Amino acid sequence: MNITKEQIDDLNAVVKVAITKDDYQEKVDTILKDYRKQANIPGFRKGQVPMGLIKKQYGKAVLVDEVNKLLQDNLNKYLTEEKLDVLGNPLPKQQDGFNWESEEFAFEFELGLAPSFDVQLKTKKATTQYKIVADKKMVDEQVERIQKQYGKIISKSEVAKGNEVNGTFTNEAEEIEHKTTVELDKIKNKKAIDSLLGKKAGDTISLKTKGLFKEDYLLSAALGIDREKAEKLNIEVDFIIEEINEREAALLNQELFDKLFGKDEVTSEKELKEKIKEDSEKQFEQQADQKLLNDVTEKLIADTKFDLPSEFLKKWIQVSGENPLSDDQAKEEYEKSEKGLRYQLIESKILNDNNLSVQFDELKEFAKGFIKSQMAQYGHLDPQEEELENIATRVMSNQDEVKRMSEQLMSQKLLTLFKEKANLKVKEISYENFVKEVYG
């Protein structure tokens, strides 16, 4: 067997494979002999069928199968040995008049080659690294929520300011019927507040959905519909009042602090606020990190210029799926996937240049950390190492979980690298302003 490569340009090549009778005949003969031993053909005893008949009946199929196996194995071996970084898979070139009756065969395969390029992490224009802080307003609001949540519920006969009203929203046309609790402090529409004040259990009032709550997301929860529908909704709904309560705020005392954080972990209102600020900013850090990862990724895609073997990739997309695609369909699919492919190549280059990889032992430790944080959410704060080890071993036996965690761990490594080497400018911002700036 002889394999050669013809370089068309930097991104395209053709591999030619020449196969002679010596490459396949011994294997074909062995298989046909086995067929002869097992063949059941009327008129002949088992194992006594003439070899000529076996060859006539099975010879071509065995030949084709063995030649294809030879092609696959040796082509893959050649690509590995030659260190050819190919995109997609080799595409066999159409050969008119190909003759399987010949003793020697020649095959050609088109290759799409990965481009050569450099990645500059320190871009000219800096990327914003958000540092989200929990400001005084946010901390004070959280303290109020805690006091309400752990406060005493006092039943009321009629609605007054600051009350919580349990009831059911209904609208027959929109098929809305949803029990919920409405906090008057979260209602934005003054007319709606006025119409609720003084009402009693059993009363029904009509409310306009548009601009009803101070926060838009509250409407979807109140009506039991998805947010997309709630955003477009501008109707009147009936609200049937069922129960009226006032929450008497819990005292900020040691009993409450112990209930929230464990005995003597927090001993004063000042420490409570410091703890809320610390915990909130840890949660915000995850959002800020994800934003940074996304922004650096987008900038790398935009700034790292290289060509792709686009025509080859369109042809490959056209034939690689379950069903063949038309030229237009393949072009559309390529355009959808091009950005993702570019980042895959950029990420691979970054990983190679910086020797980043995920090892089994560190993945297992990562899994233990994740399991420990999950257990902490359910009050299991100090699990034994043996318990963590057993759970991690079970998790690591699931390939889907291993893949998911590997991606998460690699994202963490990339984030650490970006923080060390990318051109970043830190911007301190409140969570409220972060949401406005990032999400509009």
Side-chain angles (χ1 to χ4, degrees):
M1 179 179 294
N2 185 39
I3 303 180
T4 58
K5 177 171 69 76
E6 179 187 348
Q7 193 78 28
I8 307 301
D9 55 38
D10 289 343
L11 300 174
N12 295 275
V14 173
V15 168
K16 298 179 180 181
V17 184
I19 296 178
T20 66
K21 187 175 181 178
D22 291 341
D23 296 320
Y24 62 80
Q25 193 61 56
E26 183 178 349
K27 183 69 173 174
V28 169
D29 287 344
T30 300
I31 293 172
L32 289 176
K33 285 176 184 177
D34 289 339
Y35 275 32
R36 186 184 182 215
K37 292 176 185 176
Q38 303 300 323
N40 286 310
I41 296 178
F44 299 96
R45 284 186 296 168
K46 188 175 181 181
Q48 298 300 313
V49 181
M51 182 55 78
L53 189 57
I54 294 292
K55 287 181 178 180
K56 184 176 180 181
Q57 191 160 346
Y58 301 108
K60 186 174 179 180
V62 172
L63 170 67
V64 171
D65 189 44
E66 285 308 307
V67 168
N68 280 328
K69 285 179 183 176
L70 271 173
L71 270 175
Q72 190 68 44
D73 293 345
N74 286 278
L75 185 58
N76 289 337
K77 183 180 177 183
Y78 175 81
L79 296 178
T80 302
E81 289 176 350
E82 295 295 314
K83 299 180 180 178
L84 294 176
D85 193 0
V86 300
L87 301 179
N89 291 315
L91 283 179
K93 291 185 73 173
Q94 188 68 36
Q95 292 177 288
D96 295 330
F98 187 85
N99 183 14
W100 281 105
E101 301 299 328
S102 173
E103 293 186 347
E104 296 187 353
F105 307 106
F107 300 91
E108 295 185 358
F109 295 86
E110 295 180 66
L111 302 182
L113 304 176
S116 177
F117 59 91
D118 291 319
V119 179
Q120 300 297 329
L121 291 178
K122 196 168 280 296
T123 53
K124 290 182 181 178
K125 188 176 179 182
T127 302
T128 300
Q129 180 183 1
Y130 291 98
K131 178 177 172 52
I132 307 172
V133 295
D135 57 13
K136 183 178 183 303
K137 177 187 173 187
M138 170 173 276
V139 172
D140 288 345
E141 286 175 351
Q142 181 64 8
V143 170
E144 286 180 19
R145 279 195 289 272
I146 290 170
Q147 287 183 277
K148 275 189 176 183
Q149 182 181 348
Y150 290 89
K152 184 179 178 183
I153 298 176
I154 302 170
S155 180
K156 292 292 182 178
S157 59
E158 62 179 47
V159 180
K161 288 184 177 180
N163 287 171
E164 294 177 358
V165 185
N166 298 333
T168 301
F169 279 107
T170 64
N171 181 288
E172 189 175 346
E174 294 292 335
E175 298 181 341
I176 293 170
E177 185 173 350
H178 189 252
K179 287 182 179 291
T180 190
T181 299
V182 175
E183 297 179 41
L184 259 66
D185 290 345
K186 293 182 178 178
I187 294 179
K188 178 181 179 182
N189 189 304
K190 189 176 183 303
K191 286 185 179 179
I193 296 172
D194 291 341
S195 64
L196 280 163
L197 292 174
K199 295 296 187 294
K200 299 179 179 180
D203 289 346
T204 299
I205 59 171
S206 182
L207 299 171
K208 289 184 177 180
T209 58
K210 192 167 183 65
L212 180 58
F213 293 102
K214 292 176 180 177
E215 301 289 345
D216 292 339
Y217 74 89
L218 292 172
L219 182 63
S220 64
L223 302 183
I225 59 177
D226 62 53
R227 289 187 68 169
E228 187 176 346
K229 180 177 179 180
E231 287 171 4
K232 301 173 183 175
L233 205 62
N234 186 12
I235 61 171
E236 287 195 353
V237 289
D238 288 335
F239 183 61
I240 306 163
I241 297 173
E242 294 163 4
E243 187 180 353
I244 305 158
N245 294 309
E246 178 185 358
R247 281 191 183 263
E248 185 179 276
L251 296 174
L252 296 175
N253 56 24
Q254 195 59 47
E255 181 183 355
L256 178 61
F257 301 153
D258 290 348
K259 191 180 291 185
L260 290 169
F261 303 107
K263 186 168 177 58
D264 296 332
E265 289 294 320
V266 170
T267 58
S268 66
E269 183 178 342
K270 180 184 177 184
E271 287 183 12
L272 171 66
K273 290 183 176 181
E274 288 172 351
K275 180 69 172 168
I276 289 171
K277 181 178 173 65
E278 179 187 346
D279 290 348
S280 297
E281 288 179 354
K282 277 183 182 177
Q283 292 181 13
F284 297 154
E285 188 176 354
Q286 294 178 2
Q287 284 182 266
D289 282 349
Q290 188 59 54
K291 173 64 176 166
L292 177 62
L293 195 60
N294 293 343
D295 287 349
V296 173
T297 296
E298 290 295 326
K299 191 174 285 295
L300 287 172
I301 293 171
D303 291 353
T304 308
K305 305 296 184 184
F306 54 82
D307 293 326
L308 291 169
S310 54
E311 293 307 313
F312 168 85
L313 290 170
K314 288 173 195 173
K315 282 199 283 186
W316 176 70
I317 289 170
Q318 196 168 7
V319 300
S320 62
E322 191 173 328
N323 297 309
L325 302 179
S326 68
D327 290 346
D328 288 342
Q329 287 173 323
K331 180 182 177 184
E332 184 180 348
E333 286 300 313
Y334 172 74
E335 288 171 353
K336 286 180 185 176
S337 60
E338 183 184 359
K339 185 176 180 181
L341 174 58
R342 286 183 177 277
Y343 185 67
Q344 285 179 20
L345 292 170
I346 292 168
E347 185 182 87
S348 178
K349 177 70 172 170
I350 293 171
L351 300 184
N352 288 331
D353 288 351
N354 294 277
N355 297 316
L356 295 182
S357 62
V358 172
Q359 304 299 322
F360 180 83
D361 288 345
E362 61 181 344
L363 185 60
K364 195 168 187 179
E365 289 304 311
F366 179 76
K368 286 182 185 178
F370 176 76
I371 293 162
K372 195 172 182 179
S373 67
Q374 291 291 102
M375 294 171 81
Q377 291 181 22
Y378 294 96
H380 193 0
L381 301 176
D382 191 24
Q384 296 297 309
E385 177 62 25
E386 184 179 354
E387 184 179 12
L388 288 173
E389 180 74 22
N390 290 337
I391 298 173
T393 299
R394 289 201 299 273
V395 170
M396 296 288 283
S397 68
N398 184 317
Q399 291 303 310
D400 290 337
E401 282 297 310
V402 169
K403 181 182 177 184
R404 183 181 63 81
M405 288 190 298
S406 295
E407 290 171 351
Q408 289 180 345
L409 181 53
M410 185 54 74
S411 289
Q412 283 190 9
K413 292 191 173 198
L414 283 169
L415 184 65
T416 300
L417 179 71
F418 294 159
K419 286 181 177 179
E420 290 174 358
K421 296 190 175 182
N423 183 11
L424 306 178
K425 59 177 180 181
V426 177
K427 182 174 184 178
E428 196 167 288
I429 191 171
S430 70
Y431 183 71
E432 184 179 355
N433 288 333
F434 172 77
V435 170
K436 287 178 183 177
E437 186 168 317
V438 173
Y439 304 109

